[in-house]
Amino acid sequence: MEHSLRDRVRAGDPEAFGRLFDTFASTVHRHAVRVTGNWSTAEDVVSLTFLEAWRLRERVLAEGESLRPWLLGIATNVMRNMTRAARRHRDALARLPPAAPVPDFADEVTQRLADQEELVAAQRALSGMRRAEREVFTLCVWEGLDTAEAAEALGVTAGTVRVRLSRARKRLRALTDAERARMPAAARNPSVGVPTLARHTGEDRCAVDQCAEERRR
């Protein structure tokens, strides 16, 4: 079935793309929320990812299993470009005169506060890593890609993925402890489904460079 879907996607079959979206849109959105820490931005990432997937459909390899690594690779590139664009936008705004103060609407988002605090902590910890290591970590640990799939998504070798993952785990162990120590006590006990870094950085937990492979067995 998957091979047939690959062929149809490469051929530009609209029905196949609809199936691709139905199958993987939530996966891309979840990944984008975790990486960007922003639900609205994540929705934009999903839209841009599937637009890019349509544009790049002829580059889908004829052989392979799930198209998830391919889509997550496109999403990673989309977020890279969005980060660059946001940086240019901030630089441009910094050159403008100060804007008038606006009302504080914080009370309207209280229902998401706990999740947002976890995402902020994750963002702070991840920001202390090199981009290449951060991308490998989010794909292998949060999205469960194995070494080969992450290598396919990022366009690097499996050996490179393993090296970056090892460095990321060591770096995150220290960063996570520091960030979570700064959070309110309630936020240190996250609700189900919220991506926390502390779950994945202990030596006695699933080895990061093998976690996806272990789950597949």
Side-chain angles (χ1 to χ4, degrees):
M1 183 183 300
E2 190 64 49
H3 291 287
S4 175
L5 180 61
R6 280 178 172 268
D7 293 340
R8 292 168 61 194
V9 167
R10 292 180 68 196
D13 182 345
E15 183 179 347
F17 260 84
R19 179 181 165 193
L20 192 70
F21 183 88
D22 291 341
T23 303
F24 294 114
S26 60
T27 297
V28 173
H29 184 266
R30 180 188 63 214
H31 181 56
V33 167
R34 287 169 165 175
V35 173
T36 67
N38 186 289
W39 280 267
S40 179
T41 300
E43 292 173 0
D44 292 339
V45 170
V46 173
S47 298
L48 291 171
T49 294
F50 282 91
L51 284 173
E52 277 294 281
W54 175 262
R55 187 176 69 85
L56 301 174
R57 60 191 181 278
E58 294 180 357
R59 298 186 187 179
V60 173
L61 298 178
E63 301 294 330
E65 296 182 2
S66 174
L67 287 169
R68 188 166 70 115
W70 179 64
L71 286 170
L72 289 175
I74 293 175
T76 298
N77 285 328
V78 165
M79 287 185 282
R80 287 176 187 169
N81 293 335
M82 292 177 74
T83 298
R84 295 191 193 103
R87 186 181 303 117
R88 289 193 295 267
H89 181 64
R90 287 194 301 269
D91 291 343
L93 290 178
R95 295 191 291 268
L96 297 175
V102 296
D104 183 1
F105 297 104
D107 290 342
E108 298 180 11
V109 296
T110 52
Q111 287 185 320
R112 289 185 173 180
L113 183 57
D115 284 359
Q116 187 64 40
E117 287 175 340
E118 277 294 317
L119 287 170
V120 168
Q123 289 301 301
R124 287 174 178 164
L126 289 173
S127 67
M129 301 170 59
R130 293 184 176 87
R131 186 189 72 187
E133 295 168 359
R134 181 170 62 247
E135 291 172 351
V136 166
F137 179 87
T138 56
L139 289 173
C140 289
V141 176
W142 281 346
E143 296 308 322
L145 297 191
D146 61 28
T147 301
E149 290 173 333
E152 177 188 343
L154 297 173
V156 298
T157 66
T160 297
V161 169
R162 284 191 288 269
V163 169
R164 291 178 181 176
L165 209 46
S166 177
R167 291 174 180 169
R169 185 177 61 188
K170 292 176 182 177
R171 179 65 173 153
L172 277 170
R173 192 172 298 121
L175 289 171
T176 299
D177 290 343
E179 288 303 326
R180 290 183 64 80
R182 293 162 52 185
M183 294 173 58
R188 295 176 198 164
N189 186 21
S191 58
V192 176
V194 178
T196 60
L197 301 180
R199 297 175 189 171
H200 302 289
T201 54
E203 284 287 352
D204 59 338
R205 302 183 185 177
C206 176
V208 180
D209 53 354
Q210 296 179 352
C211 63
E213 291 94 330
E214 291 294 331
R215 284 197 292 271
R216 289 174 175 272
R217 293 173 184 171

